């Protein structure tokens, strides 16, 4: 693989862009949120900071590189190339607006249609998770109370009993989708330890990769929601799939350690979690 397409080189660039995006997001929030609009529904927020961060990511990743392209949540697809960046400028915009400390910059590098490197940076806390395909997944910054700054290799949860599993999930913005997700969740909740909803899919995937939650599922994710986080979870040893033999995608993303995956998969099939709008 040419140097420009080397996954480690791509990861280094992704990390630099994510740090730049996080710094801008924090500055924008400190200066005042400014314009807050909506997208798909009245509850689906977008801020001027989302657009500014995506513009910065595009500038940092594409300037001087005419043979690369970018897919972003706010701006869509820019060009077509072997190397494509998939970015979510602020994953967890509602959290960002409300000052809840779970919003992330997500940057993934795709080569010939396969994600080979990715980073998720929680701008609110400074925690960063990253992965290169085939080389494992890592948390690259210490959490409060940890000594030292050595990267921590991720290996997911050791839980084996679904009834004792802490499971993260998320909800869409469309009212009909939310109604179906609520019905499905009502079937899941009595059969697990508890449910957590953090409001940022990229962080949910990284939390599952680290074992902060035992598993994660959600319907309705877009490529930018999951590209980097799914690679982190996969490289941590989790199975990241859809349901009924399908790949992860808009219908369903399920991330769980092998010892939990089958049981949670079958429960989600039982409650028809991937049906509906």
């Amino acid at each position: 693989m040419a140097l420009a397409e080397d996954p480690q080189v791509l990861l280094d660039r992704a990390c630099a862009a994510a740090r730049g995006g996080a710094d801008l997001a924090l500055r924008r929030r400190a200066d005042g949120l400014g314009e807050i609009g909506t997208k798909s529904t009245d509850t689906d927020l977008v801020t001027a900071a989302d657009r500014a961060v995506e513009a910065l990511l595009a500038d940092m990743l594409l300037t001087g590189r005419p043979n690369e392209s970018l897919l972003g949540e706010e701006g869509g697809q820019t060009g077509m190339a072997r190397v494509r960046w998939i970015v979510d400028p602020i994953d967890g915009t509602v959290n960002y607006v409300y000052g809840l400390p779970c919003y992330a910059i997500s940057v993934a590098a795709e080569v010939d249609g396969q994600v080979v490197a990715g980073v998720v940076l929680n701008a609110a806390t400074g925690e960063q998770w990253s992965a290169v395909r085939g080389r494992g997944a890592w948390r690259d910054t210490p959490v409060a109370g940890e000594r030292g700054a050595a990267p921590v290799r991720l290996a997911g949860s050791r839980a084996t009993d679904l009834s004792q599993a802490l499971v993260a999930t998320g909800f869409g913005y469309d009212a009909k989708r939310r109604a179906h997700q609520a019905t499905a969740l009502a079937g899941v909740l009595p059969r697990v330890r508890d449910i957590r909803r953090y409001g940022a899919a990229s962080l949910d995937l990284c939390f599952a990769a680290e074992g902060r939650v035992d598993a994660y599922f959600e319907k309705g994710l877009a490529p930018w929601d999951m590209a980097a986080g799914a690679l982190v979870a996969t490289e941590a040893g989790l199975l990241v799939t859809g349901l009924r033999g399908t790949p992860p995608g808009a219908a369903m993303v399920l991330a769980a350690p092998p010892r939990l995956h089958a049981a949670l998969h079958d429960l989600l099939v039982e409650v028809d979690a991937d049906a509906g709008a």
Side-chain angles (χ1 to χ4, degrees), residues 231-270:
L231 179 64
V232 171
T234 298
E235 287 297 316
L238 278 65
L239 300 178
V240 182
T241 70
L243 299 186
R244 304 176 181 87
T246 62
M252 180 58 61
V253 174
L254 165 59
R259 292 181 295 270
L260 283 178
H261 184 274
L264 183 53
H265 172 276
D266 292 349
L267 176 55
L268 293 174
V269 169
E270 179 184 325

Side-chain angles (χ1 to χ4, degrees), residues 22 26 34 46 57 64 66 75 77 115 130 141 162 167-168 196 207 211 218:
L26 292 171
V46 61
L57 295 176
Q77 179 73 40
V115 176
S130 66
T141 49
L162 183 60
V167 179
R196 291 293 181 269
F207 291 167
E218 186 167 351

Side-chain angles (χ1 to χ4, degrees), residues 117-193:
V119 60
V120 176
L121 174 58
N122 186 345
T125 67
E127 293 171 279
Q128 177 177 295
W129 300 263
S130 66
V132 167
R133 184 167 295 278
R135 302 181 193 174
W138 305 81
R139 175 164 51 76
D140 302 293
T141 49
V143 297
E146 276 189 347
R147 294 183 178 180
V152 176
R153 186 159 189 168
L154 307 181
S157 167
R158 296 182 179 180
T160 60
D161 182 350
L162 183 60
S163 71
Q164 299 301 305
L166 183 64
V167 179
T169 192
F171 308 108
Y173 291 106
D174 177 78
K176 289 183 178 179
R177 176 172 292 171
R178 285 188 176 193
H180 176 78
Q181 289 173 317
T183 300
L185 185 60
V188 172
L189 185 55
R191 314 248 307 256
V192 300
R193 180 188 295 277

Side-chain angles (χ1 to χ4, degrees), residues 47-180:
T47 70
D50 289 272
R51 299 187 177 100
V53 171
E54 184 164 312
L56 176 66
L57 295 176
D59 183 63
M60 293 183 71
L61 293 168
L62 297 182
T63 296
R65 300 180 184 274
N67 296 321
E68 298 180 5
S69 64
L70 183 141
L71 172 65
E73 180 176 14
E74 309 308 333
Q77 179 73 40
T78 301
M80 296 294 291
R82 272 192 83 199
V83 175
R84 181 173 76 157
W85 297 95
I86 304 174
V87 305
D88 195 333
I90 302 178
D91 184 22
T93 298
V94 173
N95 290 342
Y96 180 71
V97 169
Y98 279 80
L100 300 174
C102 284
Y103 50 89
I105 317 301
S106 175
V107 182
E110 186 183 76
V111 177
D112 293 332
Q114 182 181 61
V115 176
V116 299
V119 60
V120 176
L121 174 58
N122 186 345
T125 67
E127 293 171 279
Q128 177 177 295
W129 300 263
S130 66
V132 167
R133 184 167 295 278
R135 302 181 193 174
W138 305 81
R139 175 164 51 76
D140 302 293
T141 49
V143 297
E146 276 189 347
R147 294 183 178 180
V152 176
R153 186 159 189 168
L154 307 181
S157 167
R158 296 182 179 180
T160 60
D161 182 350
L162 183 60
S163 71
Q164 299 301 305
L166 183 64
V167 179
T169 192
F171 308 108
Y173 291 106
D174 177 78
K176 289 183 178 179
R177 176 172 292 171
R178 285 188 176 193
H180 176 78

